[in-house]
Structures are given as structure tokens and as C-alpha cells.
Amino acid sequence: MEKQRRSTAVGRLLVLSAVATCTFEATFTEGLRSASRFRLSASRRSLSSLSASQGLEFAQELVGDNERQLLSEFRRCYRENPYPEKLNLFFPNEERIISLLYASTSSYTSSSFLSTVDRIFRQLHAWPSAWPLCQKLLSPEHPWSEAYSKQIIAEGFWSPFDFFTVDLSTLRPLQRYPLEELRQQSSTGFRVVERWLKKLEEEGETDEKLQGFLKKFLEQDKINSKEQVMRLRPLEDLLEYLLSTLVDRIFEISDSDAMTAIVTARDLRQRTILHVAAEQGNSILAEQFLQSVAEENRKDFATAKDAGGYSAGDLALLAGYTSTAEKIQSLGGAETTPPAALKFFPAAEGHPKRSDDGGWNEEPGVPPTVEWLKEYSKTSKTSTSQSSSLCEIDAISVDQFDWTVFQTHYVAPRRPLLIKGGVKMSVSDRVKFTRDGLLQIAGTRPVRAFSTPYEDDFRNVPAVEMPLQDYVNFLDQRDQESDFERSEKLSYIFERLKDDEGPLSFARSPPKLFKEHIKLRAAQFSLGGQLMGSPLHYHVDAVNSLIYGRKLWFLKPPAEQEFRKTVVYEDLAKSGGPQGLRVIQEGGDLLYVPQDWAHGALCLKQCIGLAHEFDVVFRDAGPVSVETVNAGLGVALAGIAFFSFGIITWFVQHV
């Protein structure tokens, strides 16, 4: 009955507020931001803070006289983990935490005590192994749970975007190593993971669904170990299920005001929690969120658009999560098709001219005896345009590029894009990447090469090390040999450039089209010859500049995500060519690869390029990927309704 009452209340509010969607006046948005800042408590943390909470960030705030024993318990379990900065698996004593809370006060609804509960909840939530304790902490049997719902969640001091997303970065070793490899790399780290899995096995004895998710994860782990590829969807599904049980508990203690704050919250891109679940392919969470709204009003919630005009179903489809989109459609009753994005760019004025070879050897190209490579080796030396190159993703000419369109319809919904001629370097900058220019500037700089980039991160193998001049000579000599596809001759330079980089410091600068709009995370320099490259992998948003050369790329959406520890040419030789969306990148082109899209690349001739990983800066609000707006009812309505300036003024003055 209570669940139905909450659902109906939220549904009525959605009907009232769903007047218009997708666009917002600048004044209105800024007024809402100011209001939301006013309402946030000092202890509130952004999504990035939670993700980065590898230690005791929240527990360290337990400094009151009655909180020291709680902090002591957190420190005890923290010391048990030898790799706390990489593996967020900790095991606090559940009974001790609860008993200490009861003993710390007699006023369980006071703001100071609820602040203590909130710090504990946030710290436990950062540790997947402690999610069962999160549920116990907010059990309805405790005298503080109802007050926590009313005073923390409903009042806007709590954001669902911080707590209702699956974040694999808390288990980083499991992103790169199967269990057996982890045991070999770190026996102590493996024991921590093993302890967690044993606890899940024990819980699975009374939970068949958990038992099923755990079984699928362990089966996939064996496949990953055998094939030297990390496919992590079963691990994500396991974490999603565990998180869904915590969501159930939060919904259980939440009254209609708290549910309204949760369901109608919007982030800086005006997305709901349903958008976030859809983009991650989290069908279980999507179903929970939809069922929290009255059935007659679910369509309004399911079809709500973000600032770019995308529904949750649109984001699921763009990421390849067809089953999640179908789940949303079945519950929300709305079929969806993501808007075509190319139409938002201005019309092309022509095709950029191909750059010269920069002195890098374009011969002999790929072996003519390899059948699957023949279609990629065809290129006209006399052609002055790039219009005929193979490209199975959206592509534009540099003169069409518009940052606002790009951010709204490619970065936000995670669509890849090829920008022909997008490198746009000055003559003085471009000459630094020519063969002669590079050797003059950095010829004596030591370089490290691997057949698989960063191979020593996951295998005990030595790098091929030599001065850059010697490596260039190696490339030239290799071109004269007939067996250059042998693995020992596929050593590829792909180096992360540090902040204090010396000779190659000029390569850290992002492309001009991006430079003023991003916060740089990492800059990488690449140099190699035909058949060298990178196997399928994924990471945050990145723009890849090919200054000279020709590359074959292949991309897969997040639903088909994988991280391979193999040699890319050997992979493609076994499979008979690349799988996924294929793209030929010519010298002078930029390729944008969205966050979580798997991508690999193969050089078709000598190639020199750059890769810049980044966060997009959202106006003056900081990087969009690490900021959220915690919206209570008034702020949440901003994401759905279009109000007049008079209402905005009233809202800011009275909230």
C-alpha cells in the first residue's frame, strides 16, 4: 500500500511537471544551479569524489567524541586490505557499527546524528563488499531510518547519481586480471577478492538470483583467462544485482517526498537516474526506477529527454544495449529512435586535402598476400581528397565542425566521430612531427616499445628500449624485410607523456578544435609501422590525431566491450579481419572515441600520432563527467518543466 501511495504521488508530480522537455533558457538554468548549490549540505560529495573514495574519505569525518570508536572500526577493516587504493573491498564488523551507533546518542533524529549516519552510509557505499551493511544501516527497524529519508534524501542533501550507478573502478584489478592471474600477480590481493566471493557464495545459498549472477561471473572469468581478453559484463551484472537490493531498501524507507527527490533528480546534462541506468545497460535498475512511478504515468518518465533531446531508451540503443531499451519500452510503452546527429552540423564546403607523408616511408604497405587486408591497402596517391575512405561511423569535414553540436550529439550520448582534416596544425607545429623534425628535436630521447601497448602493466615482459633515432632506423629496416609481420617485429611505441616531459612536450597539447573545451587527463605519443597497433581496449573520452600515415580502426559499443591483452595483428589474422565498425583514418584526421567504446587500431603504413584522453568542461561548471546537480523537488522540476522567470525568482528566494 505504501509503495503504491509513493508511486502514485510521484506519478502525479510528473504529470504536473511534464509540460515541455529538452530545452532550457540560460537564465532559468543558472537560477536552478544557484538554488541547488544553496540546498547542498557541506558534507555532500560529487560522483567523482565517491568514485575516488579509495580510502577513508568519509569515515575520517567521524571526529566527534561519540564517533571515535566508529572511526576506529573503519580503520581496522581498512588495514586488512593490502591494496586499498586499487581494491575497494573492506569488511567492517556489522554488529559493531550498528551497536556503536545506538550507543552514541539518545536522539536518533537529530541533524548531527543523521549526519553521522550519512557519513557512514557514504563510506560503506564506496565499498561493494559493504553494501549488505548499507542495507542493514537503513533497515526500517532502526529509529533513524525514517528521519534519514525525510531529512537527508527528501530535503535534497542526497543525490541518486552518487549511489545508483555501477562503478567498476572500485575493483580495478578485476578489470585487468582474471582471478588466476591476480593470484599470480598478488597473492594478498587475491585473498581479499577471494574473501568477498566466499561471502557472496554464502549469501547465494539463500538467494538463487545472486547464485546465478555469481556463477556467470566465474564462468566468464575462466574464458577471460584462456583467451587473454577481459569481458566484464558478467561482473557488472553481478554488481548491478547487488546494488539493486540496496536500491530496494532505500525505496522501502522513502516516503513520497523522498521518492520524488530521487525520481525527478537531474544531473548537469538534465538526465534522470533512468538515463544513467540505460546508458550503462542496467536493466534491473531501469525496471526498479520505472516501477517506482505510477503505471499510468510511466510513459512521461520513460520518455523524458535530456538537454540534448535524448531519452533513456535512446542512450541504451546508442550504447548497444538493445535489451535495456526494450525493457524501458515494455514498461514505459514508448518506442524510441535516437535522433540522427549529422544533420545538426552545417553543410560541408568541400573536402580537406590530404597531407604529405612528412618524410615517413609509405612503402611497402601491407602484405598483398593477406587476403583480408587487401581492401584496406588500396589508396590513391594522386587523390587530393579523403572522401572515398572506408568509414562506418559518422564523419564530417573539419569545416563542418561545431563544438556545441559535437558536445551535445556526440560526447554526451557517446557517439564516435571522424573529423577529416581535423588535426589543423600550424606549419611550424606540423614540421615537428615530420621524420627529420622529430629526430632533430627528440632523436636521442629513450623510447619503450611493446607488441601490445603497456604490456608490462599486465604481463612480466621487458620493453624494447632504445633511442628514438634507433627505433626509426628499425622501422626503415623492417620495411625492407619480407617477414615484418612476425611478433618480435611488431614492437610499437605508445607512450604516456608525463607533465614534465622534455623533448616531446609539444605533443602534450590537445588538438586546436578541442583545446579550449576539455580538461586533459592524459597525452600519449604513438609511432609505428605497418601491422603494428593496439588491440581492442576502452577508457574515458579520447581524441586520436593521426598526423602522418594511414590507420585502420575498429570500434564496438559499450554493450560489446572488451579489453584484449593480445597482439592486434595476430588477433585480426585469426579472426579473418576486424569485427565491429571499421574506419580508415588518413593523415590529418581526428577520430573521437567515446568513453567505454572498445576500439583497436592497425597501422597500414608508417604512422605518427597522438591520443588525448579528456573530460569535457561544461561552461564554467567544471568537467561534466565529475559534477552532478542534486535536485530536490524544485530543482528536479527544472529538468522537466519550462517555467517563467517570475517563478524562478520565487524559487530562488524561497527554497
Side-chain angles (χ1 to χ4, degrees), residues 378-427:
K378 297 174 183 177
T379 179
S380 171
K381 295 182 181 180
T382 60
S383 174
T384 59
S385 79
Q386 301 164 317
S387 58
S388 60
S389 295
L390 172 69
C391 186
E392 295 177 339
I393 63 171
D394 283 0
I396 60 170
S397 176
V398 64
D399 64 281
Q400 295 178 263
F401 185 79
D402 177 274
W403 179 264
T404 300
V405 173
F406 173 68
Q407 177 177 313
T408 303
H409 297 289
Y410 289 88
V411 176
R414 299 185 184 177
R415 277 181 160 127
L417 179 69
L418 180 69
I419 308 170
K420 298 178 180 180
V423 170
K424 285 184 70 70
M425 282 184 177
S426 66
V427 173

Side-chain angles (χ1 to χ4, degrees), residues 232-248:
L232 300 178
R233 191 67 224 181
L235 176 58
E236 288 190 68
D237 290 342
L238 172 61
L239 289 174
E240 182 195 1
Y241 176 73
L242 295 172
L243 183 60
S244 72
T245 61
L246 176 56
V247 173
D248 278 338

Side-chain angles (χ1 to χ4, degrees), residues 36 119 273 296 617:
S36 67
R119 291 188 186 104
I273 50 174
E296 64 270 20
V617 175

Side-chain angles (χ1 to χ4, degrees), residues 77-144:
C77 71
Y78 184 81
R79 288 193 297 268
E80 291 180 346
N81 186 333
Y83 297 106
E85 73 282 358
K86 295 182 179 179
L87 200 57
N88 284 19
L89 295 176
F90 305 90
F91 306 92
N93 186 304
E94 299 177 358
E95 293 182 1
R96 180 166 171 75
I97 294 289
I98 300 298
S99 63
L100 286 173
L101 275 173
Y102 272 105
S104 66
T105 186
S106 58
S107 179
Y108 300 119
T109 59
S110 67
S111 59
S112 60
F113 178 78
L114 292 177
S115 179
T116 297
V117 173
D118 189 50
R119 291 188 186 104
I120 292 173
F121 176 83
R122 290 171 185 273
Q123 187 62 73
L124 295 175
H125 183 276
W127 304 340
S129 55
W131 288 352
L133 179 50
C134 276
Q135 295 180 58
K136 293 181 180 179
L137 177 70
L138 297 183
S139 172
E141 68 187 33
H142 300 313
W144 57 77

Side-chain angles (χ1 to χ4, degrees), residues 261-561:
I262 291 171
V263 174
T264 58
R266 295 270 179 155
D267 67 10
L268 278 181
R269 285 179 172 148
Q270 301 304 324
R271 291 181 177 176
T272 67
I273 50 174
L274 184 60
H275 282 91
V276 177
E279 187 175 55
Q280 290 192 323
N282 293 337
S283 299
I284 299 174
L285 294 176
E287 183 173 0
Q288 284 179 294
F289 300 149
L290 282 161
Q291 290 185 339
S292 69
V293 178
E295 184 174 357
E296 64 270 20
N297 300 312
R298 281 181 196 153
K299 185 175 181 179
D300 296 313
F301 181 49
T303 58
K305 303 296 176 72
D306 65 11
Y310 293 85
S311 69
D314 291 334
L315 297 184
L317 289 174
L318 288 171
Y321 295 115
T322 306
S323 60
T324 304
E326 291 173 348
K327 173 66 71 174
I328 294 171
Q329 181 182 340
S330 68
L331 293 174
E335 188 173 354
T336 185
T337 301
L342 282 175
K343 65 181 180 182
F344 296 107
F345 286 114
E349 297 178 1
H351 296 289
K353 292 184 178 181
R354 290 180 55 190
S355 62
D356 58 28
D357 61 14
W360 298 101
N361 189 9
E362 293 200 347
E363 300 296 342
V366 297
T369 55
V370 181
E371 189 65 32
W372 63 267
L373 270 172
K374 287 182 180 179
E375 65 174 301
Y376 308 116
S377 62
K378 297 174 183 177
T379 179
S380 171
K381 295 182 181 180
T382 60
S383 174
T384 59
S385 79
Q386 301 164 317
S387 58
S388 60
S389 295
L390 172 69
C391 186
E392 295 177 339
I393 63 171
D394 283 0
I396 60 170
S397 176
V398 64
D399 64 281
Q400 295 178 263
F401 185 79
D402 177 274
W403 179 264
T404 300
V405 173
F406 173 68
Q407 177 177 313
T408 303
H409 297 289
Y410 289 88
V411 176
R414 299 185 184 177
R415 277 181 160 127
L417 179 69
L418 180 69
I419 308 170
K420 298 178 180 180
V423 170
K424 285 184 70 70
M425 282 184 177
S426 66
V427 173
S428 59
D429 283 338
R430 183 179 288 274
V431 76
K432 297 173 184 176
F433 294 93
T434 64
R435 190 182 190 282
D436 292 342
L438 184 69
L439 293 180
Q440 183 177 353
I441 295 171
T444 60
R445 182 193 186 276
V447 294
R448 307 175 80 240
F450 293 96
S451 56
T452 300
Y454 305 122
E455 190 173 6
D456 58 343
D457 282 354
F458 46 82
R459 258 195 298 273
N460 186 23
V461 295
V464 175
E465 299 186 70
M466 63 184 76
L468 181 60
Q469 172 71 71
D470 291 350
Y471 182 79
V472 172
N473 292 338
F474 157 72
L475 291 182
D476 291 341
Q477 181 181 350
R478 177 177 176 270
D479 286 347
Q480 309 306 316
E481 299 171 354
S482 60
D483 59 348
F484 55 72
E485 70 269 25
R486 287 165 50 193
S487 58
E488 63 268 25
K489 295 187 178 182
L490 295 174
S491 297
Y492 180 55
I493 295 176
F494 197 86
E495 281 200 29
R496 189 178 298 270
L497 302 177
K498 298 179 180 179
D499 294 345
D500 60 352
E501 167 63 36
L504 292 175
S505 58
F506 61 89
R508 281 185 49 81
S509 183
K512 288 182 179 180
L513 294 181
F514 285 64
K515 192 171 183 178
E516 301 302 319
H517 305 282
I518 66 174
K519 179 180 178 182
L520 185 65
R521 281 183 175 230
Q524 293 156 113
F525 169 81
S526 66
L527 177 63
Q530 57 272 26
L531 307 186
M532 297 179 182
S534 305
L536 282 168
H537 62 289
Y538 57 91
H539 41 64
V540 298
D541 286 317
V543 57
N544 299 273
S545 308
L546 183 60
I547 302 161
Y548 295 110
R550 197 166 193 257
K551 274 186 180 179
L552 166 65
W553 290 81
F554 42 103
L555 300 88
K556 292 185 176 183
E560 301 173 42
Q561 190 183 80

Side-chain angles (χ1 to χ4, degrees), residues 12-58:
R12 288 171 180 166
L13 284 163
L14 285 169
V15 168
L16 272 172
S17 59
V19 179
T21 59
C22 81
T23 8
F24 306 93
E25 291 181 321
T27 306
F28 179 57
T29 305
E30 184 54 39
L32 291 165
R33 285 182 190 157
S34 301
S36 67
R37 292 190 190 109
F38 175 80
R39 301 193 64 180
L40 299 185
S41 69
S43 64
R44 183 178 164 334
R45 295 292 187 273
S46 70
L47 178 60
S48 65
S49 298
L50 284 168
S51 298
S53 179
Q54 300 157 345
L56 296 172
E57 181 177 343
F58 301 105

